[in-house]
Amino acid sequence: ARKALNYGFDRVEMVKYLRKNMVFPARSGIVPDFLSKYDLDGFFYHPDTAKILLSSFDLNKNNLLRTIDLYTTSDYLDICEYLQSSFAELGINLNIKVNPPSIHRELVSNNSVCFFRGSWIADYPDPENYLQLFITKNKSPIGSNRTHFSNEIFDSLYEKSFFIKNDTLRNNIFLEMEKILMDSTILVPLYYDMAVRFTSEKVKNLSINSMNILSLKEVEKIN
C-alpha cells in the first residue's frame, strides 16, 4: 500500500505549480540525485501501478488503508492538499492534521504519529548524512531517525561504509542502502531543495556549492 502512495501523485506537476520549479522533483531516493554518485531509479507517477498495488486490499473494509492521517505544519499545507487530491483518485482519504511547528516536532520525535511531513538539511555534502536518518541507533528522541526504521542489513552497511576508502565501493554501499529503503517504502520522497542566488552584474566569481555556503575568496566587485 505504501508503494501505491509513491506511484500515486505527479512530482513534476507538484513542483511546477506549487513550488514554481524552484525545487527538484524527487525522482530517486532520500539522497538528492545531484549529490549521489550512483544511479537509482526512484518512484514516478503511474496511477495504474498504484491501483494494481491497492487491488489486493479492500479499501471499503480496511479503514486503516481507506483513511490515512498525515501530520504537517501550515507551511506545507499546499503540498499535503495536493497529495490529498491525488490519493483521493485512488480511493484513499488523506486526513490532514495541521499543528504548530513545536507540537509537530514533539509528536514526530516521540513516535506518536505514523505518517508525517518532514525534511532534512544535510550537515555536510555526503550521502551518509542522509542515510544516517534511518539507522537503528539513531531512533528519536535521542537521534534523527524519526521514522524508527530498523534493519540489520542497513545498519551493517552503514557501519561498513566508514572503513571503505574507495569511492566506487563506498557509493555501491550507499546504493544498496537506498534500495533497502525503496523496497521497504519507509518514505515518500517529494522534492529536493534548490539553492538560488541573485547577484549584481558588478559582482563576479561568486560560486555556489552543495551546502550553499557563502565563499568570498574569489569574488570581485567591478566599479
Side-chain angles (χ1 to χ4, degrees), residues 64-108:
L64 292 177
L65 280 177
R66 185 162 53 87
T67 300
I68 301 175
D69 291 337
L70 172 58
Y71 289 78
T72 184
T73 59
S74 59
D75 291 341
Y76 297 91
L77 182 58
D78 57 341
I79 293 291
C80 295
E81 287 178 340
Y82 179 86
L83 296 176
Q84 183 183 56
S85 176
S86 298
F87 294 160
E89 297 180 7
L90 302 176
I92 296 176
N93 175 35
L94 194 65
N95 187 25
I96 303 174
K97 302 280 191 177
V98 181
N99 288 299
S102 58
I103 295 178
H104 179 74
R105 287 193 297 269
E106 182 178 355
L107 289 171
V108 171

Side-chain angles (χ1 to χ4, degrees), residues 186-202:
I186 194 64
L187 72 159
V188 180
L190 298 176
Y191 56 80
Y192 312 121
D193 283 334
M194 179 188 302
V196 180
R197 290 181 181 173
F198 297 92
T199 60
S200 168
E201 293 181 352
K202 296 182 179 181

Side-chain angles (χ1 to χ4, degrees), residues 157-158 160-161 164 169-177:
L157 288 171
Y158 176 81
K160 183 179 179 181
S161 69
I164 303 298
L169 295 177
R170 190 167 179 265
N171 286 322
N172 287 338
I173 289 177
F174 292 149
L175 177 59
E176 290 303 312
M177 294 174 70

Side-chain angles (χ1 to χ4, degrees), residues 18-34:
L18 299 184
R19 290 299 180 266
K20 308 300 181 183
N21 280 331
M22 297 302 289
V23 296
F24 301 102
R27 293 172 171 171
S28 53
I30 183 63
V31 181
D33 50 9
F34 52 82

